[in-house]
Amino acid sequence: MMAPLTGLKVIELARVLAGPWAGQTLADLGAEVIKVEAPRGDDTRAWGPPFVKRGEDESSAYYHSANRGKASIIVDLASAEGQARLRELVRDADILIENFKVGGLAKYGMDFESLSKVNPRLIYCSITGFGQTGPYAHRAGYDFIIQGMSGLMSITGEPDGQPQKSGVAITDLFTGVYSVAGILAALHQRDRTGRGQHIDMALLDVAVAVTANQALNYLTTGMPPQRMGNGHVNLTPYQAFDCADGHIIIATGNDAQYQRLCRLLGLDDMAQAPEFATNKDRLANRRVMIARLNGATVGWTKAELLSGCEAQGIPAGPINDLAEVMADPQVVARGLQIELDGVPGVRAPFTFSDAELSLHRPAPKLGEDDAAAL
C-alpha cells in the first residue's frame, strides 16, 4: 500500500520544533520533504545530551524527534547561488514551510509574493510566534512564553503553587499539527482553483484556540478559570487519587459511574446522598466529597483499585513514566515505538485501512542529500 501523500514535494525552511513537526508529519504521510538548512544546520542538532550517533554524525535526540523521513541539503540563502538553487527547488514543489521572522525571507526574494510568481500552485505556510499582522508580529515566539501569554499556564498547576507549563512544548506541537491541517485544506482548495496560497500560522493563535472549554467557561461567565491541579473544572470526581503505593486517575463522567465508585470503595451512603446526586451537586460540594473518596482510596494499592474500577466500568488509569509507557501492552500492540536504521522513534498516530505510513529513514545528517539534490 502507498502512503496517502505520496507524490507531494515539500520544501522545509524551518528550524526547532513547530515547522519541523509539520514537515515530519507530512513525511510520515508520504510526502517528499527536503529540509533546507543553513551551513550551521538546525539549532536543535546541538540540543543535547542525549545524542544519537550515526557514523560520524552526532545529533541530539530532540532533533531526531522532529525530523524523521526528510532529506537534508545545505543552502546559503544570503548568496545569489543559494537563492537560485531554492527557486529551482520551488519550481515543482507543492508546499513550502518556513518559520523565519516576519519579513525575514523577503530580503532574499523568498517571500510568498516572490515565490508564487515562480510557482503559482505553491502552498506557502509561514509559522511565527504571533502571525504576520498585529502589534506583536515583529516579536520572536517561544513556546514557553506563548504558554504563559495564551492563558494555558493560568489553568495549569496547583492552586497554591506557581503556574506550570506543559511537560512538552505543546504550543509548538499543536501549531505543527494545525499547520498540516491548513496545508491539506489548501491542497484541497487548489484542486478546485488551480492556485496556491499563503497560510499564516501563529503559535499564540493556536494556543488561545486550544484553551477550548476553559475559554468558553470564561466567555460564558466573565470569570477567568483558575488552576485546579489535577482536578477538572467541569467534572468531579475526575482527578488523581492517592493509593497506598502511589496514585491513579479516576475519571467519572456521569452519575452512574460515580455511584459505582462509591459502592466499590464501601461508601454506599455517598452513592445516594442528595448533596452528591448530580454533577452540579458534586461540584458544589467537591471538597467534602473528594476528602472522603481519597480517604478510602488510600487503603487500596494501585493495582487493586485499577482492577476494581475496570471490573465495575469506572474509567480509571495509571500514571505512567515513559519506561512504563513504552512497555504498556496497548502501546506495544499499536506499534508506537519504532526504529529506523538503529535510531529509535515514536510512530505518527495515524492508522489507515487502505494506506500506510512512510517510515523509511531517520532524521538526516546535515547536508546528507546535497549530492542527490544537485
Side-chain angles (χ1 to χ4, degrees), residues 180-194:
V180 171
I183 287 166
L184 295 179
L187 282 169
H188 181 69
Q189 183 174 337
R190 190 181 73 176
D191 287 342
R192 298 195 305 274
T193 67

Side-chain angles (χ1 to χ4, degrees), residues 103-317:
L105 285 173
K107 62 184 177 183
Y108 304 128
M110 298 297 151
D111 56 308
F112 171 68
E113 295 299 328
S114 299
L115 292 183
S116 64
K117 295 174 183 175
V118 175
N119 179 357
R121 290 175 56 82
L122 182 68
I123 292 161
Y124 188 111
C125 181
S126 295
I127 298 174
T128 57
F130 300 95
Q132 303 293 306
T133 60
Y136 302 160
H138 65 284
R139 296 185 186 179
Y142 295 92
D143 173 272
F144 191 3
I145 294 171
I146 299 295
Q147 287 194 45
M149 293 180 68
S150 65
L152 286 171
M153 287 178 62
S154 76
I155 54 175
T156 306
E158 293 297 330
D160 56 352
Q162 280 192 344
Q164 292 290 305
K165 68 178 181 66
S166 171
V168 294
I170 193 167
T171 72
D172 274 328
L173 297 173
F174 265 119
T175 302
V177 174
Y178 268 104
S179 295
V180 171
I183 287 166
L184 295 179
L187 282 169
H188 181 69
Q189 183 174 337
R190 190 181 73 176
D191 287 342
R192 298 195 305 274
T193 67
R195 299 189 306 274
Q197 61 181 297
H198 189 199
I199 302 171
D200 174 6
M201 296 297 304
L203 269 67
L204 183 61
D205 294 358
V206 170
V208 172
V210 300
T211 56
N213 61 296
Q214 294 279 31
L216 265 292
N217 288 343
Y218 163 68
L219 293 172
T220 302
T221 66
M223 299 178 61
Q226 303 299 307
R227 298 189 302 281
M228 296 184 59
N230 286 319
H232 192 294
V233 65
N234 297 116
L235 284 174
T236 191
Y238 196 103
Q239 65 182 71
F241 285 89
D242 297 333
C243 293
D245 57 348
H247 309 85
I248 71 165
I249 296 165
I250 299 175
T252 66
N254 56 51
D255 298 340
Q257 291 172 355
Y258 162 74
Q259 291 162 8
R260 292 199 295 273
L261 174 63
C262 290
R263 295 188 181 103
L264 173 66
L265 297 175
L267 300 172
D268 295 58
D269 63 304
M270 289 182 65
Q272 300 300 329
E275 63 267 35
F276 307 131
T278 68
N279 185 66
K280 183 178 179 181
D281 298 322
R282 293 191 291 276
L283 286 171
N285 296 286
R286 183 200 301 261
R287 184 171 297 180
V288 173
M289 179 194 65
I290 294 299
R292 288 200 63 190
L293 292 175
N294 209 48
T297 61
V298 75
W300 296 61
T301 67
K302 292 187 295 182
E304 289 170 345
L305 189 49
L306 285 168
S307 178
C309 286
E310 183 170 4
Q312 295 298 318
I314 302 163

